[in-house]
Amino acid sequence: MEILNNFSSIYCFITFIIGAVFMLIAVCIVAMGKVKEPKNKVRFYVARNKNDRLWLYMGKPRRYDDEFRAYLDKGSKYISGYDFDAFGLNEKDYDNLKWEDEPVEVFLNMED
């Protein structure tokens, strides 16, 4: 009878180890499958004012009489179109953007 008890405990131990290995493999597969967003991804908006000049905004701007303006109460900022190169953007990519269009959402990866 003692041999049977030892066999059962060894069998349970081996089964436990095999189950734990399969569980670890499953967790690793799930973790590898998730798409991780870069932590330094920042949302900007590109808009064209009535005077045909492009501007880059942090936060969605509001349309006023002849220009878009940032929500100053929410910490939005605007950047002149002359600084597009500093952010890795090309003004020519927005040639089709008109005053009548809504601002275009742009995501940029900012490096440290």
Side-chain angles (χ1 to χ4, degrees):
M1 197 65 156
E2 188 176 326
I3 293 174
L4 186 61
N5 285 337
N6 286 340
F7 179 73
S8 292
S9 62
I10 290 173
Y11 178 72
C12 288
F13 178 73
I14 292 172
T15 304
F16 172 77
I17 295 297
I18 291 172
V21 168
F22 279 123
M23 189 65 121
L24 180 64
I25 291 170
V27 168
C28 290
I29 289 171
V30 169
M32 287 187 313
K34 289 186 177 180
V35 176
K36 296 181 181 172
E37 294 288 329
K39 292 181 182 179
N40 53 358
K41 191 174 186 180
V42 180
R43 178 188 315 192
F44 288 96
Y45 289 87
V46 177
R48 186 176 300 276
N49 286 342
K50 220 173 192 178
N51 66 2
D52 208 35
R53 218 155 139 229
L54 283 176
W55 291 84
L56 185 65
Y57 297 89
M58 285 185 70
K60 190 169 183 177
R62 293 182 189 170
R63 184 188 310 266
Y64 286 88
D65 294 332
D66 58 352
E67 66 184 3
F68 284 94
R69 293 184 196 158
Y71 289 115
L72 295 178
D73 56 330
K74 293 188 179 181
S76 294
K77 305 250 187 266
Y78 63 90
I79 300 156
S80 168
Y82 295 120
D83 296 328
F84 271 36
D85 289 339
F87 289 90
L89 295 173
N90 186 353
E91 269 191 82
K92 294 187 189 284
D93 292 340
Y94 303 98
D95 282 345
N96 294 333
L97 186 63
K98 300 175 189 152
W99 159 249
E100 295 81 18
D101 298 335
E102 285 297 309
V104 176
E105 190 174 32
V106 178
F107 291 97
L108 298 175
N109 288 326
M110 308 300 285
E111 295 182 14
D112 296 334

